[in-house]
Amino acid sequence: SKRAEVLHEWHKRQLHAAVPALIAKWEPRLDVKVAGYFLQRMKTKWGSCNYRARHIRLNTELVKKPRDLLEYVVVHEMAHLKEPTHS
């Protein structure tokens, strides 16, 4: 619906306002460089990482969660740039 799309775009704007600062905060701490990030609806995950492209992808539903969960997911996906697996 039009209303749902407007809401989704608003949520994305809120995340775009928050995510770059989190990436900038954690890049020096983790000693990684994020080439880019993407926001999208995801059915089963909070985020993902493309290790080779150095991109992270974040679920737009994170906008509805506490800010520290957003930060946790950003840091978790950034950590995959150092360690691609969960081992």
Side-chain angles (χ1 to χ4, degrees):
S1 72
K2 179 76 177 144
R3 185 172 176 275
E5 205 43 52
V6 168
L7 191 62
H8 184 66
E9 288 305 313
W10 180 64
H11 285 156
K12 287 197 331 196
R13 280 197 305 277
Q14 289 180 289
L15 287 169
H16 281 306
V19 170
L22 292 173
I23 290 173
K25 172 183 172 180
W26 285 95
E27 277 179 330
R29 297 181 192 192
L30 295 171
D31 190 30
V32 297
K33 200 80 188 130
V34 176
Y37 74 94
F38 301 95
L39 304 174
Q40 71 178 58
R41 291 184 181 98
M42 300 169 114
K43 282 189 168 63
T44 60
K45 297 189 286 196
W46 288 121
S48 66
C49 172
N50 181 326
Y51 173 77
R52 285 179 189 80
R54 310 194 74 65
H55 290 154
I56 63 173
R57 199 169 294 275
L58 302 166
N59 189 330
T60 49
E61 290 295 299
L62 283 165
V63 77
K64 300 172 185 172
K65 301 296 177 193
R67 169 74 182 231
D68 57 353
L69 178 64
L70 172 62
E71 185 164 9
Y72 172 82
V73 174
V74 168
V75 171
H76 178 94
E77 298 310 332
M78 288 175 71
H80 281 308
L81 296 175
K82 276 195 119 79
E83 177 50 65
T85 70
H86 284 117
S87 62

